Amino acid sequence: MKRLVQMLVKRLMDRRFFTKIFISISIVSFIGVFSLVYIYQQYYQDMITDNELDRTQRSINQAGYNLDNQLRRVVQNVQYFFYYSENSVEIEDASDIERLQHKLEAFRTQYSSELESVFLFIKEDGADGQETIIHDTGLDRVPDIDYHNQTWYKQFLAQETDIWSKPTKEHLFYQDRSYTSIYLMMGKYDMDGRDGMLVVRLNGKMFSDAFRLLATNDLMLELKDAKGHIVYSSFPDGSGSGDAMYLKTESKLSYSGFDVQAYTNKKAIIDKVRQIQIVHPLVIIVILLITLVMSFLLTWMLTQPIKKLLQLMKKVEIGDLDVRFTSKYTDEIGLLGRNFNKMLANLSEMIDRVYVVEMEKINAEVKQKDAMLLAMQHQINPHFLYNTLEVINCQAILHEAPPISRMSRAMAEFFRYTINNPKAEVELRTEIEHVRTYLDIQRERYPDIEIDMDGLEPFGGYPIVKLTLQPIVENAFLYAFMGERDYYLKIYAEDCDVETYALYIEDNGQGMDEQAMEAMNHLFESEADEVPEQDESRSRGIGLLNVQHRIRLHYGKGYGLYLEESLTGGVTVRIKLPKEGKDYENLNR
């Protein structure tokens, strides 16, 4: 056997490329066709079954929903009539039988399509107390029927809270037309020495009507109560079926607790599948013929471009990178040819790119050296500035000029924080101290402005981007405090949620035009690079936009500035920030 297989394989591989592809495609196609037919047959049967069960499920869900709503309405109407309405039945009125009869008749007449009979049963206190059945004059009681053995009476004696009885053939009146139905019962016990129950016999037609359009010879339906008793059945014998020839689906009614069960006949589904199977042989023959023709055409179309591609590859081997493969098709061979062209183009591009990358690397090294020199210069300049401010401070002390001494110290602290601190993110308490230094400088010029920064201590450990608050406070001094009146500046904070907090810088200055404020908020939200030239708020918006960009770059979208009018007519700047920093430092409270 092994030698036979080897001989067949050798004879096939010795054939032309066209023949090998044609035979291979044909064999694979035939196997695929027969496998597909078999799988499709099984799949189609499963699909028909699933579709039929799904259709049945949706149908019984809708029918059950409608019936459940109808039962809910019946129960609510009976509850309202028995307990709450002005015409409610009161056990205390048992002596006024005529009035009770009128109430019962009015209620039964109003809901005659859903109820067959309704009556009030009253029992005086004590085991041997008098028992009375009160019903309207439109009901005719069947003589010689002992109600003491009926379901509703046993439930009354047990004082059960279940409002539904099990399905029963019991009846008291000639008007109880349904052969089988259920009772709806609501009781009042120990009312002035009496126990009472309102008993309603539902119209059994209500259940059959709910499923009349669904039940067929191939679809049997059953409605069971919460305890599994059959309330309605479309089976001929009315007893239900657990036969294996049926597929069962069910739907639970949420309010009443009833269960709708549908039984789909398997034979009906199999008959539908067999109707399709009749045309299967003809379909197989047509598919095989088409497969042979397509195999031949596909083999020819595959071999021609491959020959051309092989010729181009030989040219590339000798160093000709300008050759290109052309094809008018978008099949795999066409894709292979386009990738071949891309490979040649990428190869040429990579040769050029290596040169560009090397040049960029040299330029980057030069720029890095320039930056290092500039950084060294910047390290020299602050030392000169600090020494100069220290000399001014000493001279101010010697000449007894405290204001100059305070300003020179504040200036030194201000520039030290700005220049020397390399961190992009600091604790809020550090930023607040920097703002206090800036305010000490401004206080020499604006001594009458009231500053309020109380209540920030609990938030001192939260993170903030360095130099966030000072530019905003500086904006207030530049554009808010321009008149001759009492001004104030207030900085406070509050928790937003477990992950974020907000800072507020509020003033009572000149305020800001509403349109300009909306334009700035729009720029904050859209992350614009700069304030438009024609914008009236350009002069004061550049600094704020810079702060917004730094916050967004550090923390991402969702954080940053928002402008709104303060209660005193000025401007309030709200800064939303996270409670957890990104510098991997201990910034907790």
Side-chain angles (χ1 to χ4, degrees):
M1 184 65 181
K2 182 178 179 181
R3 294 185 60 185
L4 178 62
V5 173
Q6 291 176 346
M7 183 181 65
L8 292 176
V9 171
K10 185 176 184 306
R11 294 189 62 181
L12 177 62
M13 297 305 294
D14 290 338
R15 298 291 179 180
R16 291 187 306 136
F17 186 61
F18 178 91
T19 304
K20 289 187 288 187
I21 293 182
F22 178 75
I23 294 176
S24 301
I25 293 177
S26 299
I27 293 175
V28 173
S29 300
F30 291 163
I31 294 175
V33 168
F34 286 106
S35 301
L36 183 63
V37 170
Y38 176 77
I39 294 174
Y40 174 76
Q41 181 175 343
Q42 299 300 318
Y43 169 77
Y44 182 76
Q45 181 171 341
D46 294 339
M47 183 184 66
I48 290 293
T49 302
D50 292 341
N51 289 342
E52 190 68 23
L53 293 179
D54 181 65
R55 183 187 66 81
T56 302
Q57 185 68 60
R58 286 186 279 108
S59 299
I60 64 173
N61 285 346
Q62 184 61 49
Y65 176 78
N66 296 337
L67 177 61
D68 205 35
N69 284 339
Q70 189 175 8
L71 292 173
R72 182 200 303 267
R73 187 171 61 253
V74 169
V75 173
Q76 290 175 347
N77 290 335
V78 173
Q79 286 178 334
Y80 182 74
F81 172 70
F82 192 45
Y83 294 110
Y84 306 113
S85 71
E86 295 180 356
N87 295 323
S88 62
V89 175
E90 296 294 341
I91 298 177
E92 295 85 345
D93 297 338
S95 58
D96 192 355
I97 295 178
E98 184 177 353
R99 193 165 71 89
L100 287 176
Q101 288 176 337
H102 286 305
K103 291 181 181 181
L104 293 171
E105 183 175 11
F107 181 74
R108 183 178 62 84
T109 304
Q110 183 178 0
Y111 303 104
S112 59
S113 62
E114 298 165 338
L115 315 177
E116 290 184 340
S117 62
V118 54
F119 61 91
L120 178 66
F121 179 77
I122 299 176
K123 179 180 177 63
E124 300 294 336
D125 192 15
D128 299 327
Q130 181 181 354
E131 297 178 349
T132 306
I133 295 179
I134 302 175
H135 59 85
D136 64 85
T137 56
L139 294 177
D140 299 319
R141 187 171 172 182
V142 180
D144 301 329
I145 289 183
D146 185 7
Y147 60 82
H148 292 91
N149 295 322
Q150 293 191 348
T151 304
W152 63 266
Y153 182 78
K154 296 177 181 178
Q155 189 163 331
F156 169 80
L157 294 180
Q159 296 187 1
E160 296 180 5
T161 57
D162 191 2
I163 62 174
W164 303 109
S165 73
K166 67 178 183 180
T168 179
K169 300 176 183 178
E170 302 166 355
H171 62 282
L172 274 179
F173 305 96
Y174 286 112
Q175 285 76 14
D176 294 337
R177 299 178 299 274
S178 301
Y179 182 70
T180 301
S181 185
I182 59 176
Y183 283 107
L184 172 60
M185 300 161 290
M186 295 184 184
K188 293 181 180 179
Y189 302 102
D190 196 19
M191 302 292 292
D192 294 337
R194 296 188 181 95
D195 294 334
M197 174 180 281
L198 184 67
V199 183
V200 178
R201 193 177 197 268
L202 298 184
N203 189 346
K205 190 173 182 293
M206 177 173 60
F207 303 110
S208 59
D209 288 348
F211 305 105
R212 184 180 66 254
L213 299 178
L214 297 180
T216 63
N217 292 333
D218 296 325
L219 180 62
M220 300 297 176
L221 296 171
E222 286 183 349
L223 176 65
K224 296 182 179 181
D225 62 14
K227 297 181 180 179
H229 302 119
I230 297 178
V231 177
Y232 163 79
S233 175
S234 66
F235 283 95
D237 57 1
S239 61
S241 174
D243 199 332
M245 67 178 294
Y246 291 101
L247 298 174
K248 178 181 176 182
T249 55
E250 58 183 336
S251 176
K252 191 76 172 180
L253 307 189
S254 59
Y255 178 77
S256 61
F258 289 4
D259 190 20
V260 181
Q261 297 179 352
Y263 296 87
T264 304
N265 194 339
K266 290 183 181 179
K267 185 177 181 299
I269 298 176
I270 294 174
D271 291 341
K272 292 182 180 180
V273 175
R274 287 176 178 172
Q275 293 175 1
I276 301 298
Q277 291 176 343
I278 296 175
V279 298
H280 279 177
L282 179 61
V283 172
I284 292 175
I285 294 174
V286 172
I287 292 177
L288 290 178
L289 292 176
I290 295 175
T291 300
L292 288 174
V293 175
M294 293 299 296
S295 298
F296 179 84
L297 293 177
L298 182 60
T299 302
W300 183 84
M301 293 172 64
L302 286 174
T303 55
Q304 294 304 314
I306 289 176
K307 290 180 180 180
K308 181 179 179 181
L309 190 58
L310 289 174
Q311 294 173 357
L312 295 178
M313 288 181 178
K314 291 180 179 179
K315 292 183 179 181
V316 173
E317 287 179 358
I318 60 178
D320 186 1
L321 300 180
D322 295 328
V323 298
R324 293 293 183 269
F325 177 81
T326 57
S327 176
K328 59 182 179 180
Y329 302 112
T330 58
D331 58 0
E332 287 80 358
I333 302 300
L335 178 61
L336 181 62
R338 287 191 296 274
N339 289 337
F340 175 75
N341 294 339
K342 289 181 182 179
M343 182 189 67
L344 295 178
N346 291 337
L347 184 60
S348 300
E349 183 181 352
M350 287 178 64
I351 294 174
D352 297 335
R353 192 181 298 171
V354 168
Y355 174 78
V356 174
V357 169
E358 289 297 326
M359 293 302 298
E360 290 179 350
K361 185 183 296 184
I362 294 173
N363 291 335
E365 291 177 354
V366 172
K367 290 181 180 179
Q368 184 177 8
K369 292 179 180 179
D370 292 341
M372 292 176 62
L373 290 174
L374 183 60
M376 294 174 66
Q377 292 175 359
H378 286 171
Q379 288 177 353
I380 296 172
N381 291 337
H383 290 294
F384 173 75
L385 178 62
Y386 300 151
N387 293 335
T388 302
L389 291 174
E390 186 62 30
V391 170
I392 294 173
N393 180 37
C394 292
Q395 291 295 326
I397 295 174
L398 291 175
H399 291 83
E400 297 181 353
I404 298 177
S405 175
R406 287 195 301 271
M407 288 192 65
S408 63
R409 286 199 308 270
M411 287 288 292
E413 291 297 326
F414 181 86
F415 286 114
R416 183 174 289 108
Y417 177 81
T418 304
I419 298 173
N420 283 0
N421 192 342
K423 298 179 181 178
E425 182 181 78
V426 297
E427 290 184 343
L428 178 60
R429 61 171 62 91
T430 304
E431 183 75 0
I432 292 297
E433 287 303 318
H434 177 64
V435 172
R436 292 185 191 276
T437 301
Y438 173 77
L439 292 174
D440 288 341
I441 299 172
Q442 290 288 9
R443 191 173 287 109
E444 298 298 329
R445 182 180 177 186
Y446 303 97
D448 297 329
I449 295 179
E450 180 183 350
I451 306 297
D452 183 1
M453 298 176 63
D454 296 335
L456 294 173
E457 290 79 4
F459 302 87
Y462 289 156
I464 187 172
V465 175
K466 178 184 171 184
L467 294 178
T468 295
L469 294 179
Q470 183 270 328
I472 301 174
V473 173
E474 183 177 359
N475 252 24
F477 279 95
L478 290 175
Y479 304 108
F481 308 142
M482 302 179 66
E484 295 295 334
R485 62 185 179 90
D486 295 334
Y487 291 108
Y488 76 86
L489 179 70
K490 182 178 181 180
I491 303 177
Y492 58 97
E494 66 178 20
D495 285 310
C496 297
D497 51 46
V498 295
E499 296 182 352
T500 60
Y501 76 103
L503 285 170
Y504 296 87
I505 300 92
E506 177 184 327
D507 64 67
N508 64 337
Q510 297 299 318
M512 191 174 182
D513 180 74
E514 182 178 354
Q515 292 182 350
M517 189 178 297
E518 291 180 357
M520 286 302 302
N521 286 330
H522 178 71
L523 290 175
F524 294 157
E525 187 63 29
S526 62
E527 300 184 3
D529 292 333
E530 60 180 13
V531 183
E533 293 288 344
Q534 67 275 17
D535 198 313
E536 297 179 359
S537 62
R538 177 176 175 80
S539 58
R540 69 188 302 178
I542 294 176
L544 297 179
L545 200 58
N546 177 272
V547 174
Q548 172 73 0
H549 284 167
R550 289 191 291 113
I551 293 176
R552 283 288 176 88
L553 286 173
H554 197 75
Y555 295 125
K557 193 172 183 180
Y559 300 99
L561 307 185
Y562 182 81
L563 303 183
E564 57 189 5
E565 185 178 359
S566 66
L567 296 177
T568 55
V571 175
T572 299
V573 182
R574 186 191 69 189
I575 312 172
K576 186 178 180 181
L577 297 166
K579 294 182 179 179
E580 293 292 334
K582 289 195 174 182
D583 279 355
Y584 303 99
E585 302 174 37
N586 184 12
L587 296 176
N588 296 324
R589 283 196 255 182

